């Protein structure tokens, strides 16, 4: 069969290529990250290219639930990832083509217009300013991670992986464990000791993944699981963290669903929390490919929001002035920043546990995304993150703390004047509200420091009619 997909080293001075049948966590030659790249003219001929095909599938996708593990056309159209299968066509190299795709109906998410929230953030809704919430909490495991896992599991099945593993702040393990239980591939998740929200831990346990609570933080867990994937062929694990380039292929479709929700109009801004920077990287790749394919003529700007206690990207970009520079970015400056953190014993610390990461593995690809999307990086402290998480609860669908960072970022960029009051802004809400109820209840009970503007504490009341009515109407 004609080769339409490759893995390729992102370093332009190497650019080595490898088949999609290889299991790699980095370029074997130079150690840089890998991309999945396509021969688009073969994969999706020019004459067939348009949003039309997605539009047709999208208009019917809610109507039927094919309810099965077989990847029939109906099951693929039902998936919010595989409805866009022309844009991640590595599956064409699977032994049985599309029928080997692993899907559990992921990516059926909402783009919710949130005018009350927009006004609160300083947008002028009467003059057309819009804030949309891309609610990834609707995924089967409750976070955007399912978009990536469906693609990575499809690849894992293509290469006949015997075991799958990841390090996780919680949601990656929940998602991996779900897909592993659906496919029957044994799963191993490494979580930092005491670092995981209970909603997420409960999922990994429930889905039956072997869960190792490593005495260390996320960065330590990831280093270990990579070490095992790279140096212990006897264990034979397939790595499911976002260094896996196939995962990012699935995460590109979050951008497609935003475009679809906007009738294929490109918004002015995409705002996303930055942890390991897989999303940011995937979004940049999505838009650069859509432009290359001739499907869009304009690319939105990207805002990546770090937590103040996990701000490596902010330091590298805004502090040290590092840019992608055609792939020849200043590696010494980045390494220097990592050495400084080691020397000073600096560990990531934030209430937004999903982005509590100081060594973001996708940093080079995120630099590239910033170039493609004329992006900016900003920081929000924990109080601000939690306050904006509460705002999303009040005016949107609710989200977990990390997702609140993107909404906090809108307020910040609006105040700076970078986001204009009449812009169209899409915030990615990465995870479901119920993932981390401890933070939510703590906030509403006034147990956290900060202004607690939207705190809504439960009211104790005697079992007495008059007392209850008084409490209702107070
Ligand atoms: C994983 C995760 C993030 C971080 O995403 P990256 O792609 O690693 O930057 C943010 N929010 C939630 C809820 C997550 O699960
Ligand atoms: Zn290389």
């Amino acid at each position: 069969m004609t080769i339409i997909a490759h893995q390729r080293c992102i370093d332009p001075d190497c650019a080595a290529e490898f088949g999609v049948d290889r299991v790699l966590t980095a370029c074997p030659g130079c150690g840089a990250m890998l991309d999945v790249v396509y021969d688009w003219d073969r994969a999706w001929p020019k004459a067939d290219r348009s949003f039309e095909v997605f539009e047709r599938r999208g208009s019917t996708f809610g109507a039927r639930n094919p309810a099965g593990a077989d990847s029939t056309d109906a099951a693929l159209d039902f998936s919010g990832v595989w409805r866009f299968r022309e844009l991640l066509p590595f599956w064409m190299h699977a032994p049985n083509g599309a029928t080997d795709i692993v899907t559990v109906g992921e990516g059926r998410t909402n783009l919710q217009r949130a005018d009350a929230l927009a006004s609160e953030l300083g947008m002028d809704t009467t003059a057309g300013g819009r804030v949309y919430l891309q609610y990834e909490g609707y995924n089967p495991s409750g976070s955007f991670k399912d978009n990536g896992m469906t693609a990575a599991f499809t690849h894992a099945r293509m290469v006949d992986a015997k075991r799958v593993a990841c390090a996780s702040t919680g949601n990656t393990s929940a998602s991996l464990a779900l897909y592993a239980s659906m496919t029957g591939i044994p799963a191993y998740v490494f979580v930092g000791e005491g670092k995981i929200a209970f909603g997420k831990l409960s999922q990994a346990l429930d889905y039956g993944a072997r869960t190792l609570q490593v005495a260390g933080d996320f960065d330590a867990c990831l280093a270990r699981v990579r070490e095992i994937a790279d140096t212990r062929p006897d264990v034979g694990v397939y790595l499911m963290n976002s260094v896996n380039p196939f995962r990012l292929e699935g995460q590109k479709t979050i951008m497609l669903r935003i475009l679809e929700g906007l009738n294929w109009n490109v918004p002015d801004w995409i705002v996303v929390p930055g942890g390991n920077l897989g999303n940011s990287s995937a979004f940049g790749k999505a838009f650069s490919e859509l432009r290359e394919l001739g499907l869009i003529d304009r690319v939105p700007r990207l805002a990546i929001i770090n937590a103040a206690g996990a701000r490596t990207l902010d330091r590298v970009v805004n502090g040290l002035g590092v840019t992608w520079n055609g792939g020849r970015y200043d590696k010494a400056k980045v390494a220097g920043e990592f050495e400084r953190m080691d020397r000073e014993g600096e560990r990531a610390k934030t209430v937004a546990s999903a982005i509590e990461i100081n060594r973001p593995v996708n940093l080079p690809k995120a630099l590239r995304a910033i170039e493609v999307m004329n992006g900016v990086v900003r920081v929000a402290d924990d109080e601000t993150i939690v306050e904006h998480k509460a705002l999303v609860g009040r005016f949107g669908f609710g989200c977990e703390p990390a997702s609140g960072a993107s909404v906090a970022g809108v307020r910040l960029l609006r105040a700076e004047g970078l986001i204009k009051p009449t812009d169209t802004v899409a915030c990615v809400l990465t995870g479901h509200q119920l993932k981390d109820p401890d933070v939510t209840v703590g906030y509403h009970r006034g147990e956290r420091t900060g202004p607690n503007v939207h705190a809504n504490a439960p009211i104790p009341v005697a079992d007495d009619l008059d007392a209850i009515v008084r409490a209702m109407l107070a």
Side-chain angles (χ1 to χ4, degrees):
M1 149 176 202
T2 344
I3 302 293
I4 57 116
H6 276 104
Q7 303 184 74
R8 185 196 291 152
C9 173
I10 67 165
D11 185 332
D13 296 321
C14 171
E17 294 198 346
F18 311 92
V20 291
D21 56 340
R22 298 277 301 273
V23 180
L24 300 166
T25 59
C27 172
C30 75
M33 307 196 78
L34 297 168
D35 266 335
V36 182
V37 297
Y38 304 102
D39 179 342
W40 288 113
D41 286 336
R42 289 214 171 89
W44 197 17
K46 267 201 187 72
D48 303 339
R49 273 179 219 163
S50 80
F51 287 128
E52 190 82 348
V53 56
F54 308 142
E55 181 66 20
R56 216 168 331 111
R57 292 173 191 156
S59 61
T60 56
F61 86 108
R64 45 206 164 128
N65 180 350
D70 289 345
S71 296
T72 57
D73 275 355
L76 298 180
D77 291 356
F78 186 77
S79 163
V81 171
W82 299 106
R83 271 194 285 135
F84 303 104
R85 52 196 173 274
E86 284 79 1
L87 295 171
L88 55 156
F90 70 85
W91 56 265
M92 289 180 180
H93 292 302
N96 306 301
T99 52
D100 283 342
I101 289 174
V102 176
T103 175
V104 301
E106 56 288 312
R108 295 168 53 78
T109 61
N110 283 47
L111 184 73
Q112 177 71 19
R113 180 170 146 185
D115 283 355
L117 179 64
S119 304
E120 171 76 25
L121 298 173
M123 304 294 291
D124 186 350
T125 53
T126 54
R130 294 283 178 266
V131 170
Y132 292 90
L133 302 174
Q134 175 62 24
Y135 189 60
E136 291 297 312
Y138 272 180
N139 273 289
S141 83
S143 85
F144 78 83
K145 297 295 197 298
D146 296 347
N147 292 284
M149 248 1 123
T150 184
F153 268 81
T154 296
H155 182 246
R157 195 141 88 174
M158 279 166 69
V159 299
D160 203 14
K162 299 289 179 262
R163 293 188 165 104
V164 292
C166 71
S168 179
T169 61
N171 281 332
T172 303
S173 58
S175 182
L176 174 145
L178 170 61
Y179 280 87
S181 77
M182 299 301 285
T183 51
I185 304 178
Y188 300 80
V189 308
F190 292 41
V191 298
E193 212 177 28
K195 289 281 186 182
I196 179 167
F198 265 21
K200 306 175 187 183
L201 180 60
S202 67
Q203 290 179 286
L205 300 177
D206 225 20
Y207 299 137
R210 184 173 282 258
T211 303
L212 307 175
Q213 282 193 290
V214 179
D217 61 8
F218 171 82
D219 297 306
C221 288
L222 182 54
R224 285 297 180 199
V225 71
R226 282 187 85 159
E227 191 181 357
I228 292 168
D230 291 340
T231 66
R232 294 294 301 265
D234 55 321
V235 182
V237 300
Y238 179 98
L239 184 65
M240 283 290 178
N241 280 99
S242 56
V243 291
N244 180 328
F246 294 92
R247 243 187 74 182
L248 301 199
E249 290 306 291
Q251 288 170 218
K252 294 190 303 193
T253 63
I254 300 170
M255 295 299 101
L256 271 296
R257 297 197 297 274
I258 288 178
L259 292 178
E260 180 182 53
L262 297 175
N263 256 322
W264 311 106
N265 291 308
V266 177
D268 298 300
W269 287 90
I270 301 288
V271 190
V272 65
N276 235 345
L277 303 174
N279 263 342
S280 309
S281 303
F283 299 171
K285 188 170 188 281
F287 282 107
S288 97
E289 289 174 348
L290 288 172
R291 194 170 48 189
E292 186 190 337
L293 287 164
L295 289 168
I296 55 171
D297 50 18
R298 191 170 77 86
V299 166
R301 296 193 70 180
L302 176 67
I304 306 172
I305 315 301
N306 273 168
R311 64 193 298 174
T312 304
L313 184 69
D314 166 62
R315 291 223 167 93
V316 165
V317 170
N318 296 324
L320 302 171
V322 177
T323 59
W324 172 243
N325 188 29
R328 296 179 183 90
Y329 67 97
D330 195 331
K331 297 190 183 74
K333 273 193 182 159
V334 175
E337 173 59 13
F338 283 25
E339 278 158 26
R340 183 197 62 75
M341 288 190 291
D342 281 343
R343 205 168 47 240
E344 297 176 9
E346 188 177 305
R347 293 265 170 250
K349 182 146 189 49
T350 167
V351 65
S353 55
I355 53 175
E356 191 175 51
I357 294 171
N358 255 354
R359 279 160 181 68
V361 291
N362 287 290
L363 193 137
K365 288 184 177 178
L367 293 174
R368 183 175 64 181
I370 289 168
E371 184 174 284
V372 169
M373 298 179 70
N374 189 16
V376 297
V377 182
R378 291 294 181 272
V379 167
D381 63 27
D382 278 5
E383 283 178 5
T384 311
I385 287 174
V386 173
E387 213 56 60
H388 286 80
K389 181 198 110 46
L391 264 182
V392 176
R394 189 73 183 72
F395 295 123
F397 293 168
C399 63
E400 67 166 278
S403 318
S406 57
V407 179
V410 177
R411 187 191 300 276
L412 213 68
L413 291 165
R414 182 59 214 96
E416 279 181 35
L418 219 49
I419 291 182
K420 291 197 263 325
T422 52
D423 278 349
T424 296
V425 181
C427 282
V428 182
L429 297 184
T430 44
H432 199 284
Q433 183 184 36
L434 298 177
K435 288 281 192 173
D436 197 349
D438 287 352
V439 172
T440 306
V441 174
Y443 171 87
H444 287 294
R445 285 197 165 139
E447 290 160 4
R448 301 191 52 82
T449 58
N452 297 341
V453 179
H454 303 279
N456 179 29
I459 303 157
V461 60
D463 183 11
D464 171 86
L465 184 64
D466 288 341
I468 290 172
V469 171
R470 261 200 313 280
M472 286 171 71
L473 302 179

